[in-house]
């Protein structure tokens, strides 16, 4: 993989050329940034910026004022290769809070082990209705320890308005959800995003996570996508590297609370 070329296409297609991530959200391009604006339940933030060093502080203040005028908290999603190099420090100085960094990892779908199956006694169910979404959200809440109300609203809205752009999968053992993951498909690009993969503690180490990667990659391949990408935690990065994912950059959420 030519890391620089793939990263440039990623930036162009998914950040600079971003599309709304759900009904009711919109993308705005102004003053050297690309931002998404949604309601208080959606994701609000800056997806991309192309700023010179002299423009940064003014533009940061403008984004704070803009989202503040809407009464919305927001996130500046900063990548390790973004310029200027001290943008993270400038965001901190402006009152943002940095959350843990993750690694942007990308794989060519054709190079992944697509035939990986779930372990014996586990079956995968794709969520296509509220009951299926509840299975996915149940795992999310148990694995990540966060409220799943926002995820539930997001998945139900996407499945109702544009079902071809999202895949949510629950892994069941004796009818009990033990793992889950989702994938966002971006029409008109070569990328599908893998999100929210998690397994409850008692079922870890049995290959479910790898099988969920393969399941979603097969769906992406069938729909003509060339790449899958992940914002990988330190826990998942080694697994993804063994499967054939390449680390292209880092990404850090900088959060501003209004």
């Amino acid at each position: 993989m030519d890391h620089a070329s793939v990263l440039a296409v990623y930036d162009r297609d998914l950040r600079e050329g971003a599309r709304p991530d759900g009904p009711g959200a919109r993308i705005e391009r102004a003053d050297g940034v690309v931002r998404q604006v949604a309601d208080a339940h959606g994701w609000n933030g800056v997806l991309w910026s192309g700023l010179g060093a002299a423009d940064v502080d003014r533009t940061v203040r403008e984004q704070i004022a803009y989202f503040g005028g809407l009464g919305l908290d927001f996130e500046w999603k900063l990548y390790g290769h973004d310029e200027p190099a001290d943008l993270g420090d400038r965001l901190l100085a402006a009152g943002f809070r940095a959350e843990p960094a993750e690694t942007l990892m990308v794989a060519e779908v054709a190079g992944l082990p697509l035939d990986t199956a779930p372990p014996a006694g586990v079956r995968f169910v794709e969520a296509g209705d509220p009951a299926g979404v509840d299975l996915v959200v149940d795992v999310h809440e148990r694995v990540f320890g966060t409220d799943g109300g926002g995820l539930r609203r997001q998945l139900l809205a996407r499945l109702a308005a544009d079902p071809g752009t999202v895949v949510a999968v629950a892994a069941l053992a004796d009818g009990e959800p033990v793992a889950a993951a989702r994938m966002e498909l971006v029409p008109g690009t070569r990328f599908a995003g893998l999100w929210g993969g998690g397994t409850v503690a008692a079922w870890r180490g049995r290959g479910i996570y790898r099988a969920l990667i393969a399941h979603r990659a097969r769906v992406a391949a069938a729909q003509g996508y060339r790449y899958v990408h992940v914002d990988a935690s330190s826990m998942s990065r080694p697994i993804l590297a063994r499967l054939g994912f390449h680390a292209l950059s880092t990404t850090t959420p900088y959060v501003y609370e209004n």
Side-chain angles (χ1 to χ4, degrees):
M1 179 183 290
D2 183 334
H3 290 193
S5 295
V6 175
L7 184 59
V9 175
Y10 174 93
D11 281 345
R12 184 193 69 203
D13 287 359
L14 298 187
R15 300 181 65 209
E16 192 172 3
R19 297 157 177 76
D21 70 359
R26 66 182 184 273
I27 297 294
E28 298 179 343
R29 295 172 173 85
D31 302 320
V33 304
V34 177
R35 64 194 177 209
Q36 176 169 295
V37 182
D39 61 21
H41 299 299
W43 187 88
N44 291 278
V46 174
L47 292 155
W48 177 89
S49 63
L51 304 173
D55 305 322
V56 174
D57 294 331
R58 172 184 56 81
T59 302
V60 170
R61 289 194 299 270
E62 289 173 348
Q63 301 314 306
I64 291 172
Y66 178 81
F67 283 102
L70 298 174
L72 296 170
D73 299 340
F74 73 105
E75 174 186 318
W76 194 302
K77 191 170 173 62
L78 182 67
Y79 286 75
H81 59 285
D82 287 347
E83 297 288 345
D86 66 347
L87 180 51
D89 291 336
R90 293 178 184 240
L91 292 171
L92 291 174
F96 286 78
R97 169 177 50 82
E99 295 192 341
E102 296 179 311
T103 302
L104 170 64
M105 303 189 76
V106 176
E108 291 202 55
V109 173
L112 293 173
L114 300 180
D115 58 348
T116 303
V122 175
R123 64 185 180 92
F124 290 166
V125 176
E126 289 193 9
D129 57 23
V133 168
D134 284 344
L135 295 174
V136 173
V137 172
D138 176 76
V139 172
H140 178 89
E141 292 183 329
R142 286 191 285 151
V143 171
F144 299 109
T146 57
D147 179 74
L151 175 61
R152 180 181 286 105
R153 285 188 293 270
Q154 177 192 29
L155 287 176
L156 290 173
R158 288 281 289 271
L159 288 169
D162 204 353
T165 65
V166 63
V167 175
V169 188
L172 304 183
D174 294 326
E176 178 74 14
V178 296
R182 63 188 191 277
M183 177 170 65
E184 295 182 3
L185 303 159
V186 186
T189 78
R190 288 172 269 185
F191 292 90
L194 307 183
W195 303 96
T199 306
V200 299
W203 283 85
R204 291 173 189 162
R206 307 191 194 191
I208 300 177
Y209 183 86
R210 293 188 297 273
L212 283 169
I213 294 283
H215 179 92
R216 289 173 290 168
R218 287 194 298 272
V219 175
Q223 298 198 32
Y225 288 86
R226 181 173 179 179
Y227 301 105
V228 287
H229 67 92
V230 183
D231 288 351
S233 68
S234 58
M235 181 181 297
S236 59
R237 177 173 175 171
I239 301 172
L240 293 166
R242 289 193 295 270
L243 292 175
F245 282 76
H246 298 255
L248 301 190
S249 189
T250 60
T251 177
T252 305
Y254 284 78
V255 177
Y256 194 93
E257 297 178 348
N258 282 300

